Amino acid sequence: MELVRAENCRKSFDGEEILGGITLSVNEGEVVSVIGPSGSGKSTLLRCCCMLETMDGGSLSFAGKSAAKEEGGKVVYASHAELKEIRKTFGLVFQNFNLFPHYSVLKNVMEPQMIAGKSKDEAEKKALECLEKLGLSDKAKSYPCQLSGGQQQRVSIARALALEPKVLFFDEPTSALDPELTGEVLKVIRDLAAMHMTMIIVTHEMNFAREVSDRMIFMEHGVIRAEGTPDEIFGSDDERLKSFMGRLRG
Amino acid sequence: MSGMGVTVSIFLLTLLFSIPLGLPVSLARMSRSKLVSIIAGAYVSVMRGTPLMLQIIVIYFLPYYGFGISVTSDYRFVAVIIAFSLNYAAYFAEIYRSGIQSVPKGQYEAAQILGYSRTQTFVKIIMPQMFKRVLPSMTNEIITLVKDTSLSFAIATAEMFTMAKQIAASEASLAPLMAAGLFYYIFNLLVAHVCKKVEKHYDYYRI
Ligand SMILES: Nc1ncnc2c1ncn2[C@@H]1O[C@H](COP(=O)(O)OP(=O)(O)O)[C@@H](O)[C@H]1O
Ligand SMILES: [Mg+2]
């Protein structure tokens, strides 16, 4: 089943085209990673998919439900109520976590569930379960400022998972972390992949991407320059792709 | 001395009204409706740009000269409270506005992704963080308020400083004026102490 479909997605900022018509389709259980040089529009693509930015052109749907359609050269979004339902199908993990600093770890994970209509007891049970899964049981009462970056990112993943999304987007989940802390976060994502969580991951961690992805997308200047299995991407003859990979290894 | 009571009443009542009132004003100021934002902007600008003493006098005489209503002497105190509250609401509104704008955009985005409505985002996520961020500026403003309460002599509420002056005049001694000064000084120390306590209370998290 196709869980995410963004078709011919276009976005400009201040008259400058940042996304030049991108089509992204992700099936249930698939792990897709998006790579490419900084400024190529990876975050903008993710933000358009998550509706943090409105598209200038193209269409967007989740699990067959249309979130946005192009009509007469304009993008028309679904109604407020429909979007509210559609938002429940996906989660987003930010580069800089965006935990709520005034809430304890437990409340960070609980409150969004309660907003979604769960009772306090249910939300707490689920939150503790998610925290345990991510090895954070002993941090439930801590505040985000008392945690390391890696722990904070794991809390933000727990917060997203507690809402049981069908798809998880990650925007460079380890880029804000000290090198010695990236491992613990990558491990969590690896475990999720092993459980066939559907994920779209923007990352610069090439070895990790190669290992977890079913498919990789190489973006440059707001378009998809190459797309394929990790082996196809790593074995590609494309000059730009080779030079990008070379620089990262470099 | 009843003057102390009046000073403390003006202080507390002004805080009671202006601290909440500042919030709708700051929201109006940031409103997406141009008209609303211009009106709130003008309000803030006038309140901050004219002397508080003048505002007290205007509000005191407005019922009579504006609407031909004669007022009782009780109205003096009411006028002072209205003027102080309106004036301080404008200052607090600007403080809130800068506090709200200093909350990172990522907080709104995380809330949206997690299913919070706009109102829930503001009440649960933004407002508490705004409040912590503005506490130091609030403290400054509140200490200014203590000193401003002496302004109310403009329309001769039986307020500390006024009484002290009268007493001093009749007894030809500076002692009452100095006593008034001492009172204000101690009052301010007390207020600063309470504000510190509140700030400390919010130290359990860092932004
Ligand atoms: N809100 C914005 N306003 C203006 N320009 C933006 C905005 N967001 C992104 N951009 C621009 O879009 C381009 C692509 O950014 P981004 O999607 O963050 O790239 P990436 O994530 O691949 O590094 C950059 O040149 C950036 O400056
Ligand atoms: Mg980016």
Side-chain angles (χ1 to χ4, degrees), chain B residues 108-127:
Chain B
Y108 291 89
E109 294 181 345
Q112 181 183 326
I113 293 284
L114 294 164
Y116 289 64
S117 69
R118 284 168 55 97
T119 312
Q120 286 167 334
T121 302
F122 185 74
V123 173
K124 291 173 183 285
I125 308 300
I126 306 304
M127 228 168 60

Side-chain angles (χ1 to χ4, degrees), chain A residues 163-183:
Chain A
L163 292 172
E164 302 178 328
K166 292 203 170 90
V167 192
L168 256 188
F169 293 91
F170 293 82
D171 190 0
E172 302 199 28
T174 59
S175 293
L177 304 178
D178 293 335
E180 70 271 22
L181 299 178
T182 60

Side-chain angles (χ1 to χ4, degrees), chain A residues 42-43 95 171-172 202:
Chain A
K42 306 180 297 295
S43 295
Q95 183 173 344
D171 190 0
E172 302 199 28
V202 173

Side-chain angles (χ1 to χ4, degrees), chain A:
Chain A
M1 177 168 159
E2 190 180 44
L3 282 188
V4 186
R5 179 163 193 85
E7 209 169 308
N8 198 23
C9 171
R10 282 182 289 113
K11 179 73 185 173
S12 301
F13 285 117
D14 315 316
E16 194 188 337
E17 186 163 82
I18 302 300
L19 295 180
I22 289 202
T23 296
L24 173 73
S25 161
V26 181
N27 287 319
E28 190 164 10
E30 227 187 342
V31 177
V32 175
S33 53
V34 180
I35 60 172
S38 146
S40 55
K42 306 180 297 295
S43 295
T44 306
L45 173 63
L46 241 57
R47 293 170 58 81
C48 282
C49 288
C50 295
M51 298 186 276
L52 292 176
E53 305 283 357
T54 52
M55 305 184 294
D56 297 333
S59 64
L60 180 65
S61 65
F62 287 90
K65 278 190 218 135
S66 166
K69 274 205 278 280
E70 193 167 332
E71 278 169 18
K74 267 183 70 181
V75 178
V76 181
Y77 279 83
S79 73
H80 191 78
E82 287 171 309
L83 289 183
K84 197 175 156 187
E85 275 310 302
I86 288 173
R87 281 204 182 92
K88 289 183 182 163
T89 57
F90 64 83
L92 169 63
V93 173
F94 296 86
Q95 183 173 344
N96 54 355
F97 334 130
N98 289 334
L99 292 175
F100 301 135
H102 57 306
Y103 286 168
S104 69
V105 164
L106 183 62
K107 191 160 183 195
N108 263 282
V109 185
M110 272 175 71
E111 196 179 76
Q113 300 179 65
M114 286 157 71
I115 297 254
K118 273 200 203 165
S119 75
K120 193 171 175 211
D121 287 346
E122 283 177 301
E124 180 166 354
K125 188 161 163 267
K126 179 80 188 174
L128 291 172
E129 199 183 294
C130 290
L131 288 173
E132 186 182 349
K133 220 188 286 173
L134 298 197
L136 291 160
S137 293
D138 54 331
K139 300 294 178 195
K141 290 204 178 80
S142 305
Y143 282 83
C145 62
Q146 298 167 319
L147 304 182
S148 73
Q151 289 167 335
Q152 289 189 52
Q153 190 59 296
R154 283 188 285 146
V155 173
S156 93
I157 295 172
R159 183 174 71 169
L161 287 175
L163 292 172
E164 302 178 328
K166 292 203 170 90
V167 192
L168 256 188
F169 293 91
F170 293 82
D171 190 0
E172 302 199 28
T174 59
S175 293
L177 304 178
D178 293 335
E180 70 271 22
L181 299 178
T182 60
E184 61 186 83
V185 172
L186 295 182
K187 178 181 179 303
V188 167
I189 303 175
R190 251 184 225 116
D191 292 348
L192 289 172
M195 284 157 29
H196 304 291
M197 178 80 201
T198 312
M199 296 186 283
I200 297 153
I201 310 166
V202 173
T203 184
H204 287 298
E205 301 280 341
M206 283 307 143
N207 292 330
F208 165 76
R210 179 173 204 166
E211 180 194 331
V212 299
S213 312
D214 299 306
R215 188 150 51 93
M216 291 178 75
I217 289 173
F218 173 59
M219 272 181 71
E220 200 186 46
H221 302 307
V223 294
I224 294 177
R225 169 101 191 181
E227 182 168 1
T229 63
D231 286 343
E232 283 164 359
I233 291 289
F234 277 81
S236 168
D237 292 332
D238 185 296
E239 281 310 316
R240 308 302 293 262
L241 182 49
K242 268 162 64 182
S243 102
F244 171 71
M245 303 277 232
R247 246 182 295 142
L248 281 188
R249 289 210 193 86

Side-chain angles (χ1 to χ4, degrees), chain B residues 79-124:
Chain B
V80 166
I81 299 300
I82 293 176
F84 267 81
S85 300
L86 292 180
N87 180 276
Y88 271 82
Y91 282 93
F92 286 134
E94 283 304 273
I95 292 176
Y96 295 159
R97 187 169 70 106
S98 70
I100 289 169
Q101 287 171 343
S102 71
V103 176
K105 211 169 120 230
Q107 294 286 306
Y108 291 89
E109 294 181 345
Q112 181 183 326
I113 293 284
L114 294 164
Y116 289 64
S117 69
R118 284 168 55 97
T119 312
Q120 286 167 334
T121 302
F122 185 74
V123 173
K124 291 173 183 285

